[in-house]
Amino acid sequence: MTQQTDMGVRRFGRVNWQGTFTLAEREVRRFMNVWSQTVMAPLINAGLLLMIFTIAIGPQRGDVMGVSFMTFLAPGILIMTVIQNAFANTSSSIASAKVGGNIVDTLMPPLSAGELLVGYILGALARGWLVAFVIALGSYVFLGVGLTHPLWFVVFVTLGSAFMGGLGMIAGIFANKFDQLSAIQNFLVTPLAFLSGTFYSINALPPVMQSMSHANPFFYIIDGVRFGTLGVSDSDPWLGLAVVTFCCVVVLGIVWNWLRTGYRLKA
């Protein structure tokens, strides 16, 4: 009886900060051990995308929303890379632990569902922000693209990383093998990211496709970061903030419930 009472106090009265930050540190160390893939590769890929689009259609495309095409592309490619990395960080971590049979090492320590959630999301935020910083620095040095509204930039990068980290946890928990995880990323995450205004303004789309884009939460993340970077956007940033915040709450709530019940995690 005493032990149960103590656990109840620990879980609901106090937060296991040491355990939470230890989990977050493990997640950071995990992706920093392969920094050439998690830091350098996104920078190189972003640079290649900018170069290819500029060489292929840049001069003929003209200005988009009052800025040059290359400048317009920069924030879209930045946040697309950020959300892909945030998703990959949590999804690969959980899926690898499940496939390797060592997910029990994460579930056994005295961490509540909320503490596990925070630990994983902090790892996704760290990776997302590291990638964002590197690409933003490269965009400033080579393109002269700065931040028009830094606070909006910070808010949408943070919310976007948390949202995608939560989606990555859902994918990692749901998938029982890497093929299933790859299918989720290839047929859900990547199309939604590409069809959300990363490379174009949705105002150029037919009305039906514009409505579809407005139903895509990825659009508001990308549009919000573009507003923070360039000061231009396809929608009201306050609307985007409300939509992305709501989506974060829903996704993280689902993950918390799955961690609490052990859904697809406990045999």
Side-chain angles (χ1 to χ4, degrees), residues 204-266:
L205 298 175
V208 174
M209 294 192 67
Q210 286 190 36
S211 299
M212 293 174 61
S213 296
H214 282 292
N216 180 0
F218 288 41
F219 159 72
Y220 294 100
I221 298 172
I222 293 172
D223 200 50
V225 170
R226 182 170 286 126
F227 177 76
T229 306
L230 305 178
V232 297
S233 61
D234 284 322
S235 66
D236 185 351
W238 287 103
L239 173 63
L241 177 62
V243 171
V244 177
T245 301
F246 173 76
C247 291
C248 275
V249 171
V250 171
V251 166
L252 297 181
I254 293 173
V255 177
W256 174 82
N257 186 57
W258 284 8
L259 291 172
R260 182 181 61 86
T261 58
Y263 175 71
R264 298 179 75 91
L265 289 172
K266 299 177 181 179

Side-chain angles (χ1 to χ4, degrees), residues 160-226:
S161 297
F163 172 66
M164 292 306 297
L167 280 183
M169 294 185 71
I170 290 177
I173 293 172
F174 184 82
N176 287 324
K177 51 186 179 180
F178 288 115
D179 289 346
Q180 295 174 341
L181 185 61
S182 297
I184 294 172
Q185 184 160 10
N186 293 333
F187 297 112
L188 180 63
V189 176
T190 300
L192 287 176
F194 274 76
L195 299 175
S196 54
T198 303
F199 307 107
Y200 54 84
S201 169
I202 68 166
N203 290 328
L205 298 175
V208 174
M209 294 192 67
Q210 286 190 36
S211 299
M212 293 174 61
S213 296
H214 282 292
N216 180 0
F218 288 41
F219 159 72
Y220 294 100
I221 298 172
I222 293 172
D223 200 50
V225 170
R226 182 170 286 126

Side-chain angles (χ1 to χ4, degrees), residues 51-69:
M51 183 177 67
I52 290 170
F53 273 97
T54 302
I55 293 175
I57 60 176
Q60 295 81 20
R61 185 65 175 81
D63 290 350
V64 181
M65 300 176 70
V67 297
S68 68
F69 183 60

Side-chain angles (χ1 to χ4, degrees), residues 10-11 13-22 109-112 115:
R10 189 202 69 77
R11 287 181 180 276
R14 298 195 306 271
V15 177
N16 186 352
W17 294 110
Q18 181 178 1
T20 301
F21 286 116
T22 299
L111 292 171
S112 67
E115 291 160 355

